[in-house]
DNA sequence: GAGGCAACCGGAGGTTCCTCCAGTGCACCT
DNA sequence: AGGTGCACTGGAGGAACCTCCGGTTGCCTC
């Protein structure tokens, strides 16, 4: 997790923006420095002053804020690679499990990730404006949608539920839960959400 | 809503704390001034600087913070009366409706209130330390529990769901929803939550 | 009343956030 | 190579948060 992660990030943000002109060389360099400094700093605590990160990166605070308009978008950039890997394994799970179990597994994995990185939560909220398009929200909804669709066509999931609503409910469960709430608490909430989707037939 | 509301607040916070010694006369006066100034200020916007409220109340910022350790607890104090009335009508609803409909109605009412006062949300989070015990959280859980219990014994609700979890899921739905998300969005989420509680039988 | 002791007051000051804009230097053209 | 425009820089500074503690004052006792 250093070289390769950055490359993934690069590729991704390059591939999804709509022809955004590339950053100037120095700007790109600064941006990466900030991300790297942030990665190191966030490893200690999620609440490091942004000024500290800027200083550590050898960059003015203004530069940091131009690249990452708020703390969340910086966090999102730092964990982009992990976020992508979490949101990408929906097909894998579907290949191995039945839809219901796949959804549970996916949610559990996501929950585990969020539990470790609670600071990311606000960035994943619907409609939160992040810096350069890293539309994590959309990817999450897409992942859920993949699994949900499979469940619908196999008859275990209701067909009248929007994946976006599931994502929202899911994140809500994280939001209204504290670090010291214990994973079993979250697990119960996730189970409730899945229960809401089941048709009851079969 | 002025005189009588305040009296309710008073009575309540006096009746639920465990023999907390009464405030000194001047302190009590200051506390009320702050609440009154806050009520006026919050009517304009939820994000008024607390310093402004303190000044308006003719009180030092230190005094404000001693009484209300954070913005949320001040908000909670200001809306205590409304909060109580929302959390109190569970029995009324049960008297008029079947448990399922009562729960839906209760949730809808609560949602409506929260929609108007989104700033209150953090104060209602489980385990958020408020100033002088105004245990709104517990009251909400109790209200849900009342309705849920009725539903369980009439067989429409599952018996293996904790009311506290329902409350958490409910607030999560508010948390991960934005002001401009439209009430239908929230309504769908609430329906999902209720769906999760139904036994499916009859 | 007077005296004493908490309880309570207030605001100065340290932190962090975030904006704004005069200046700098990269990239592109001739 | 030299010139020009504009993308990008950086930090000063205003706003808000919250803490901390020397000073004040209500309340109880004698």
């Amino acid at each position: 997790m250093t070289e390769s992660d950055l490359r993934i990030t690069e590729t991704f943000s390059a591939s999804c923006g709509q022809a955004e002109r590339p950053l100037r060389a120095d700007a790109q360099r600064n941006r990466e420095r900030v991300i790297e400094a942030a990665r190191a700093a966030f490893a200690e605590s999620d609440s490091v002053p942004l000024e500290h990160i800027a200083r550590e990166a050898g960059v003015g605070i203004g530069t940091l804020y131009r690249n990452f308009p708020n703390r969340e978008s910086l966090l999102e950039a730092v964990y982009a690679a992990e976020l992508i890997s979490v949101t990408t394994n929906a097909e894998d799970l579907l290949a191995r499990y039945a839809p219901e179990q796949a959804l549970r597994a996916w949610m559990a994995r996501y929950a585990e990730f969020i539990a470790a990185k609670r600071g990311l939560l606000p960035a994943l909220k619907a409609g939160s404006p992040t810096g350069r398009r890293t539309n994590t929200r959309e990817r999450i909804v897409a992942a859920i949608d993949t699994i949900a669709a499979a469940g619908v066509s196999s008859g275990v999931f209701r067909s009248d539920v929007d994946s976006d609503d599931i994502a929202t409910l899911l994140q809500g469960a994280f939001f209204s839960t504290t670090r010291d709430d214990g994973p079993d608490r979250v697990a119960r909430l996730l189970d409730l959400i899945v229960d809401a989707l089941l048709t009851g037939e079969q």
Side-chain angles (χ1 to χ4, degrees), chain A:
Chain A
M1 119 106 94
T2 42
E3 287 288 329
S4 66
D5 280 7
L6 284 179
R7 228 173 295 129
I8 293 174
T9 314
E10 233 62 69
T11 317
F12 175 60
S13 58
S15 69
C16 77
Q18 49 259 51
E20 246 169 46
R21 64 200 313 302
L23 286 175
R24 224 168 67 179
D26 57 339
Q28 174 70 26
R29 195 168 46 239
N30 279 335
R31 189 185 158 82
E32 272 159 27
R33 272 188 189 170
V34 170
I35 293 186
E36 214 44 54
R39 193 191 307 280
F42 286 149
E44 311 256 333
S45 154
D46 273 357
S47 54
V48 217
L50 295 185
E51 324 240 47
H52 177 264
I53 294 180
R55 202 176 329 117
E56 212 66 17
V59 144
I61 185 67
T63 299
L64 187 151
Y65 270 99
R66 197 170 336 95
N67 276 289
F68 309 98
N70 50 50
R71 173 176 237 95
E72 288 79 47
S73 68
L74 179 52
L75 270 162
E76 199 178 348
V78 167
Y79 294 109
E82 287 91 323
L83 234 18
I84 288 176
S85 95
V86 173
T87 58
T88 291
N89 65 342
E91 266 99 0
D92 301 2
L93 290 170
L94 271 180
R96 283 187 295 161
Y97 302 111
E100 181 186 340
Q101 282 68 39
L103 184 59
R104 289 186 197 278
W106 187 89
M107 283 181 168
R109 165 117 190 254
Y110 184 38
E112 195 182 0
F113 177 58
I114 290 295
K117 292 289 137 202
R118 299 207 113 250
L120 273 176
L121 223 39
L124 273 25
K125 205 161 164 178
S128 85
T130 83
R132 302 169 130 267
R133 302 268 160 274
T134 327
N135 41 11
T136 322
R137 213 336 164 102
E138 281 87 332
R139 297 178 69 91
I140 289 170
V141 174
I144 293 180
D145 202 52
T146 305
I147 306 183
V152 167
S153 60
S154 82
V156 285
F157 287 156
R158 299 163 44 180
S159 59
D160 62 339
V161 178
D162 187 8
S163 297
D164 199 272
D165 287 346
I166 305 178
T168 306
L169 216 44
L170 182 59
Q171 302 205 350
F174 300 140
F175 257 115
S176 53
T177 271
T178 336
R179 158 163 282 107
D180 39 42
D181 247 335
D184 45 333
R185 177 111 211 264
V186 178
R188 283 199 317 269
L189 296 178
L190 300 194
D191 280 341
L192 273 177
I193 296 177
V194 175
D195 289 346
L197 303 181
L198 296 175
T199 51
E201 306 161 9
Q202 206 318 304

